[in-house]
Amino acid sequence: MTSKPVTSLFSSALSRIILVFAVTIVLIFSIMIINPIDEEDYAAIMELSWASFFDLIWFMILGWAITETGRFVSYYLDKRLPWEQFSVKRLCLQLFVQCFIVIAVMTLLLFLMDFLLEGEEDGIESDLVGYRQLLFISTLLSLIITAVHTGSSLLLNWKNSIIEASELKQTTLQSQLHSLKLQLDPHFMFNNFSTLSSLISENQAGAQQFLDCLSEVHRYMLYNLDRNIITLKEELDFISSYIYLIKIRFSENLRIEVTDVEDLLNKGIPPTTLQLLIENAVKHNIASRSHPLDIRIFAEGDSLVVVNNIQKIQSTIGSSKIGLKNIINRYKLLSTRLPEIIETEFDFVVKVPLLPLNVSQDESINYRR
């Protein structure tokens, strides 16, 4: 899943227009508060006339200049001195550059207005106090806008970094799961190719049927390589094909029974979990006519239990336990619930939690298609 890029608070045209109007209103009211006017002047200001309209346009130009100056300085310095790397230097330079540019722009606009309205009595030279007040208010408003813009940008960058970290973690988990799944294929194929090699010399018809079933099982494993969780029904369908393969190797020396799972068929389980548990039981236990190996699979609460009787094969080579480790490691990446392994005097028990499905409907299509 790819996240949408987070935009800045003042990046859209509508938000900038609203901001210009807000700054204009604050600028007008600030000047009116600093320089109170009498009722006659107030009535003249509120009167709908061309003079009032042009005054409003003028203040909106000043509001636009204040807003865009702060944004321009911020965007320029973001590229040269990012806050994350040069916070102190950026703060000092931002204050100095922004105050200088705001004062320069506002002075230029005021002189331009004086030039256009040459002959008017209320120019800059005749009202230096008002000029200084306007510069002070404009600079203060510009710094406030920059502070809000910088705060929102840092907050959005922080949110982006959290999203990116989450996506990176998810990608890493998917990579780890993929690697764990790839571990299974060579181990599984080695055992079955050994059986196939024996069948070719003894029973060619049986070897062909075994090969067909093996290709079906392998297709299932390839199909589910990119799926982390499948339904228990899909896993049991696969197990029925796998049981046929393993029965060729052990005949009636191996007995596998699946019971009481009908109510849990739509629950989730990592692919090939049951195959690994059956293979693990066969690998470490004797399965002979006099000592058949019994494997029982049944439901217990919201878990699936796999039990086999213990008839350990005496071997000088220690077990790598790659199958059980693989299952446990996949569960660690998928859930907080982990498989439970219990070894008694007579039985080896593995309880695997059944998980909620997190796959789409499209992924639930039968793998044979």
Side-chain angles (χ1 to χ4, degrees), residues 88-337:
V88 177
K89 186 184 294 186
R90 169 66 183 271
L91 177 63
C92 297
L93 190 61
Q94 176 108 25
L95 288 174
F96 174 77
V97 171
Q98 188 156 334
C99 290
F100 176 80
I101 292 181
V102 169
I103 291 173
V105 170
M106 298 303 290
T107 301
L108 179 64
L109 287 174
L110 290 172
F111 271 107
L112 178 62
M113 180 59 69
D114 270 2
F115 175 76
L116 294 175
L117 300 177
E118 187 175 359
E120 295 286 338
E121 296 181 357
D122 53 347
I124 292 179
E125 295 179 357
S126 61
D127 189 12
L128 290 177
V129 174
Y131 165 68
R132 295 191 187 99
Q133 290 174 348
L134 184 60
L135 290 184
F136 174 77
I137 295 171
S138 301
T139 304
L140 185 60
L141 284 174
S142 179
L143 292 176
I144 292 173
I145 293 170
T146 300
V148 174
H149 167 74
T150 301
S152 67
S153 297
L154 291 175
L155 179 61
L156 294 175
N157 287 338
W158 173 70
K159 288 183 178 179
N160 268 334
S161 65
I162 291 179
I163 294 172
E164 290 171 1
S166 176
E167 291 179 344
L168 179 61
K169 182 179 179 181
Q170 184 67 23
T171 302
T172 303
L173 292 180
Q174 292 292 343
S175 177
Q176 291 174 357
L177 281 168
H178 190 73
S179 298
L180 287 170
K181 292 171 188 174
L182 291 177
Q183 289 178 6
L184 308 179
D185 196 47
H187 181 257
F188 170 78
M189 297 304 292
F190 174 78
N191 290 331
N192 286 285
F193 277 134
S194 299
T195 303
L196 180 61
S197 178
S198 301
L199 279 175
I200 289 174
S201 59
E202 298 173 4
N203 182 356
Q204 291 189 357
Q208 181 60 49
Q209 189 175 359
F210 183 90
L211 184 60
D212 292 340
C213 197
L214 177 61
S215 65
E216 193 74 9
V217 169
H218 191 55
R219 186 183 299 118
Y220 169 89
M221 297 178 72
L222 289 176
Y223 172 79
N224 288 306
L225 195 61
D226 294 326
R227 301 172 71 193
N228 298 328
I229 298 178
I230 62 172
T231 63
L232 178 59
K233 183 179 185 305
E234 290 176 287
E235 181 75 354
L236 290 174
D237 290 342
F238 159 66
I239 285 301
S240 63
S241 298
Y242 175 72
I243 289 175
Y244 171 82
L245 295 179
I246 208 166
K247 280 279 191 179
I248 296 295
R249 291 164 57 189
F250 295 98
S251 187
E252 297 304 318
N253 301 335
L254 175 65
R255 297 184 296 220
I256 301 176
E257 182 183 12
V258 182
T259 58
D260 302 326
V261 297
E262 291 77 12
D263 295 336
L264 300 175
L265 292 179
N266 292 322
K267 293 287 186 177
I269 189 171
T272 69
T273 296
L274 293 180
Q275 178 260 321
L276 280 174
L277 292 176
I278 294 173
E279 187 73 22
N280 184 71
V282 170
K283 179 181 177 182
H284 298 292
N285 293 278
I286 297 171
S288 64
R289 184 172 299 178
S290 58
H291 297 88
L293 179 62
D294 292 313
I295 300 176
R296 292 178 294 121
I297 302 173
F298 57 91
E300 185 178 282
D302 58 352
S303 296
L304 199 67
V305 183
V306 180
V307 182
N308 66 268
N309 55 320
I310 296 177
Q311 302 175 149
K312 287 189 177 180
I313 298 174
Q314 299 300 321
S315 175
T316 56
I317 302 175
S319 172
S320 64
K321 297 183 179 179
I322 186 173
L324 290 176
K325 286 181 180 178
N326 190 288
I327 294 172
I328 293 172
N329 287 336
R330 281 196 286 165
Y331 266 92
K332 284 181 179 178
L333 296 174
L334 294 170
S335 173
T336 56
R337 301 174 61 202

Side-chain angles (χ1 to χ4, degrees), residues 11-28:
S11 59
S12 68
L14 179 61
S15 63
R16 288 162 66 181
I17 292 173
I18 294 174
L19 183 62
V20 169
F21 272 105
V23 171
T24 302
I25 293 172
V26 172
L27 182 63
I28 293 173

Side-chain angles (χ1 to χ4, degrees), residues 22-62:
V23 171
T24 302
I25 293 172
V26 172
L27 182 63
I28 293 173
F29 276 96
S30 298
I31 293 175
M32 292 176 65
I33 291 172
I34 294 175
N35 300 295
I37 57 177
D38 54 32
E39 293 183 3
E40 183 178 345
D41 290 335
Y42 181 78
I45 292 174
M46 297 303 295
E47 182 181 303
L48 294 178
S49 63
W50 282 110
S52 299
F53 175 75
F54 283 123
D55 284 342
L56 179 61
I57 295 298
W58 166 242
F59 277 107
M60 287 186 64
I61 292 173
L62 294 181

